[in-house]
Amino acid sequence: MTNPMYRQIAEDLREQIESGGLPPGHQLRTELELREHYGASRNTVRDAIKWLTTLGLVETKPGQGTFVVSKINPYVTTLTADPKGPGGDIGPASDAVADETQNRIITSTDPQVEIQKAQASVARRLSITEGAQIISRHQRRYIDGTPWSLQTSFYPMEFVLKGASRLIQADDIQPGTVSYLAEALDLQQVGYRDLIKVRAPEVTEAIFFSLPQDGRVGVFEIFRTAFDQTYMPMRLTVTVFPTDRNEFIINVGDVPPFDPSTDDT
Amino acid sequence: MTNPMYRQIAEDLREQIESGGLPPGHQLRTELELREHYGASRNTVRDAIKWLTTLGLVETKPGQGTFVVSKINPYVTTLTADPKGPGGDIGPASDAVADETQNRIITSTDPQVEIQKAQASVARRLSITEGAQIISRHQRRYIDGTPWSLQTSFYPMEFVLKGASRLIQADDIQPGTVSYLAEALDLQQVGYRDLIKVRAPEVTEAIFFSLPQDGRVGVFEIFRTAFDQTYMPMRLTVTVFPTDRNEFIINVGDVPPFDPSTDDT
DNA sequence: GGGTATTTGTCCGTATGTATT
DNA sequence: AAATACATACGGACAAATACC
């Protein structure tokens, strides 16, 4: 019933970290020092550090050392907004925006517009046939300069043919795609549904967000399907957020405003 | 700039898995066979397998072998419900319940009731002083017999002193705590707010959910704060769900019912 | 139940490569 | 250029879990 040695070493280091003896950002002793301290081989010490790494407690930097990870101040996104407001996309539009309640600066790239064939998962959610032409509008978002989310909105190609030509321009649509589609096509967004899942990041996502290449930090994937007045899906927005720097809020009924200071742990 | 050998081996195995050549549940060749096949040492093969393990593609069983993981059919929980309905807790109450839209059987343990001192995070969310007496009601939930969530609701001790004595009984409160508190204390739940985050599981959670001891499968942690007609928090429910078997839905505005068949990937 | 073969898990020592300072 | 620290790779030995006879 006794634990293997590398786990005991990991436990010991873990207690030092969680008790605050080793604060975030602090450097651990080197592998050779730990090897002498615990009377184990260097490989066993490395097994202990690897364990702490997958637990997300430390990170190693070649040529420098092993460091206690510092927690990221999470950004909180509210998913329940007025369905007729600009709340089609998650988060604000392009350009710089200041979130005053959380005191953060949000920036977005201009949308990258592509014409694609609908993949199965997109087609199903938009109730169109697989392989049909769709418009894809992709944006990258940053908060305080660090990568925060990747967002892609899909619209049926039909919308452009019917006159909503701004959908295929690589510019921000002001004051919002919801009101633009309402006036251009008489499509009124009466509501939307979000589906939230967590999965391992793709390689490109891991690179963009600077996540470790192994999948130990997951990403939220949120599928937002917006519906028009005939209850048909009119837009699908897929947004990917790393789980290590994002939290979400859902308000139901009549609730007081959110106070960020009540959140931490 | 060439990849290390263990990553190349991992890449090769990964392609076999993702191409379908190695279907879920299938056993990989043994470490000794792979060692001969790739002309590497056993430890290098083990590094490759460890990499695939943290990617969540394979799992190893001592004495048996290494297997391709099979994806779990996720259970979908809707977070937006009528705030005045029974939707105080997330998911149904005790006893067995059939979810007909998803064709699943949900069971819960009887609540485990404790009187505790409020921790800082609980006190902040309930707007009470840290260390004040609170009631904790804890339940474990299963779907189709497998562990699905751990839920704890917190109420101020004051509620019992004012007459809501059923809160400290280790029984289900029918038809629901919302209506019970409404009639016993004239507390009307007018809304609630959910805060969703993802973190590594605690050790006890990893054991209950049969998650790997390292933290590579995270858990959703949902803090649901319910508010009464004076906009004061009246209840805090904390629920923990493994991310590998749970998804969530949020409906805003007027939307058609959810069709589980549109979900997969 | 016992014994044996198989398979993964742990631990060691050593050598060399690579990134950083 | 040199020193330092982590990364990769090898080979070997024994332990622990499981399956099978």
Side-chain angles (χ1 to χ4, degrees):
Chain A
M1 193 45 232
T2 142
N3 271 333
M5 190 188 304
Y6 80 96
R7 293 283 290 272
Q8 295 181 26
I9 296 174
E11 257 326 293
D12 189 66
L13 291 170
R14 178 190 192 142
E15 283 168 18
Q16 291 183 46
I17 291 170
E18 295 186 342
S19 73
L22 292 171
H26 194 275
Q27 181 169 4
L28 268 66
R29 280 172 289 182
T30 69
E31 294 174 351
L32 295 189
E33 287 171 332
L34 292 172
R35 164 181 156 278
E36 298 210 351
H37 182 271
Y38 290 107
S41 83
R42 184 179 161 229
N43 278 329
T44 302
V45 169
R46 279 180 61 75
D47 283 344
I49 290 176
K50 187 164 229 165
W51 183 258
L52 294 176
T53 298
T54 77
L55 282 175
L57 291 176
V58 302
E59 60 187 346
T60 57
K61 300 181 184 174
Q64 301 183 54
T66 306
F67 301 85
V68 181
V69 298
S70 23
K71 198 180 170 297
I72 302 174
N73 182 11
Y75 183 74
V76 182
T77 303
T78 300
L79 293 177
T80 44
D82 179 7
K84 291 168 191 154
D89 292 343
I90 299 173
S94 304
D95 307 335
V97 176
D99 178 338
E100 293 176 4
T101 61
Q102 296 187 59
N103 205 18
R104 299 292 192 79
I105 304 287
I106 304 166
T107 52
S108 299
T109 60
D110 273 333
Q112 172 184 339
V113 179
E114 294 179 10
I115 312 294
Q116 302 173 342
K117 287 190 177 180
Q119 295 172 349
S121 63
V122 174
R124 240 181 304 104
R125 293 197 163 84
L126 278 179
S127 290
I128 59 179
T129 59
E130 188 175 341
Q133 300 282 309
I134 51 172
I135 302 146
S136 155
R137 296 173 61 88
H138 180 76
Q139 278 183 308
R140 295 185 291 281
R141 265 184 233 288
Y142 303 81
I143 295 189
D144 294 342
T146 65
W148 224 262
S149 72
L150 288 169
Q151 183 167 88
T152 312
S153 290
F154 300 96
Y155 303 84
M157 192 61 189
E158 181 192 317
F159 286 7
V160 174
L161 306 179
K162 285 184 181 164
S165 56
R166 281 177 64 187
L167 283 180
I168 50 171
Q169 294 179 13
D171 277 315
D172 213 35
I173 298 177
Q174 289 292 358
T177 41
V178 172
S179 49
Y180 173 62
L181 290 176
E183 76 183 49
L185 302 180
D186 198 33
L187 274 175
Q188 281 149 41
Q189 175 175 314
V190 295
Y192 58 80
R193 169 158 42 231
D194 288 329
L195 178 76
I196 304 180
K197 52 175 77 176
V198 169
R199 58 166 173 78
E202 314 273 349
V203 177
T204 54
E205 295 165 346
I207 293 170
F208 175 67
F209 293 119
S210 299
L211 299 176
Q213 281 289 319
D214 60 19
R216 52 174 207 279
V217 176
V219 291
F220 290 103
E221 188 175 34
I222 301 191
F223 297 84
R224 171 165 294 185
T225 310
F227 297 92
D228 65 19
Q229 64 268 37
T230 67
Y231 301 109
M232 286 296 291
M234 54 181 280
R235 183 236 322 271
L236 171 66
T237 298
V238 183
T239 315
V240 174
F241 308 79
T243 57
D244 65 355
R245 64 196 74 164
N246 284 285
E247 299 177 358
F248 296 95
I249 275 189
I250 294 137
N251 293 315
V252 176
D254 198 10
V255 295
F258 173 62
D259 174 7
S261 72
T262 61
D263 180 37
D264 60 15
T265 61
Chain B
M1 192 49 227
T2 141
N3 268 332
M5 189 189 302
Y6 80 97
R7 294 282 289 272
Q8 294 182 26
I9 296 174
E11 255 329 288
D12 189 67
L13 291 170
R14 177 190 192 141
E15 282 168 18
Q16 292 184 47
I17 292 171
E18 295 186 343
S19 73
L22 292 171
H26 194 277
Q27 181 170 4
L28 269 65
R29 280 171 291 182
T30 69
E31 293 174 354
L32 294 188
E33 287 171 331
L34 292 172
R35 164 182 155 279
E36 298 211 351
H37 182 271
Y38 290 108
S41 80
R42 184 182 162 224
N43 277 326
T44 302
V45 168
R46 279 178 63 75
D47 282 345
I49 291 176
K50 186 164 231 164
W51 182 259
L52 294 175
T53 299
T54 77
L55 282 175
L57 291 175
V58 303
E59 61 186 345
T60 57
K61 298 181 184 175
Q64 299 183 59
T66 305
F67 301 84
V68 181
V69 297
S70 25
K71 198 180 170 298
I72 303 174
N73 182 11
Y75 183 74
V76 183
T77 303
T78 299
L79 292 177
T80 43
D82 180 6
K84 292 168 189 153
D89 292 343
I90 299 173
S94 302
D95 307 337
V97 176
D99 178 339
E100 295 176 2
T101 60
Q102 296 187 58
N103 205 17
R104 301 292 192 77
I105 304 285
I106 305 167
T107 52
S108 300
T109 59
D110 272 334
Q112 173 184 338
V113 179
E114 295 179 11
I115 311 294
Q116 303 173 342
K117 287 190 178 180
Q119 296 172 349
S121 63
V122 174
R124 238 182 304 106
R125 291 195 164 83
L126 279 179
S127 292
I128 59 179
T129 59
E130 187 175 343
Q133 301 282 309
I134 51 172
I135 302 145
S136 153
R137 296 173 64 87
H138 180 76
Q139 278 184 307
R140 294 184 290 279
R141 268 182 229 289
Y142 303 81
I143 295 188
D144 294 343
T146 65
W148 224 263
S149 70
L150 288 169
Q151 184 168 87
T152 311
S153 290
F154 300 95
Y155 303 84
M157 192 62 187
E158 179 192 320
F159 286 7
V160 175
L161 306 179
K162 285 184 181 166
S165 56
R166 282 176 65 186
L167 283 180
I168 51 172
Q169 294 180 13
D171 277 316
D172 214 34
I173 297 178
Q174 289 294 357
T177 42
V178 172
S179 50
Y180 173 63
L181 290 176
E183 76 182 48
L185 301 180
D186 197 33
L187 274 176
Q188 281 150 40
Q189 176 175 314
V190 295
Y192 56 79
R193 166 157 47 229
D194 288 330
L195 178 76
I196 305 180
K197 52 175 79 175
V198 168
R199 57 166 174 80
E202 313 272 349
V203 176
T204 54
E205 294 163 348
I207 294 171
F208 174 68
F209 292 120
S210 299
L211 300 176
Q213 281 288 318
D214 61 19
R216 54 176 203 278
V217 177
V219 291
F220 291 102
E221 187 174 36
I222 301 191
F223 297 85
R224 172 165 292 186
T225 309
F227 297 91
D228 65 20
Q229 64 270 39
T230 67
Y231 300 110
M232 285 296 292
M234 57 180 280
R235 182 236 321 272
L236 170 67
T237 298
V238 182
T239 315
V240 174
F241 308 79
T243 57
D244 65 354
R245 64 196 74 166
N246 284 286
E247 299 176 359
F248 296 95
I249 276 188
I250 294 136
N251 292 315
V252 176
D254 199 8
V255 294
F258 174 63
D259 175 7
S261 73
T262 61
D263 180 37
D264 59 16
T265 58

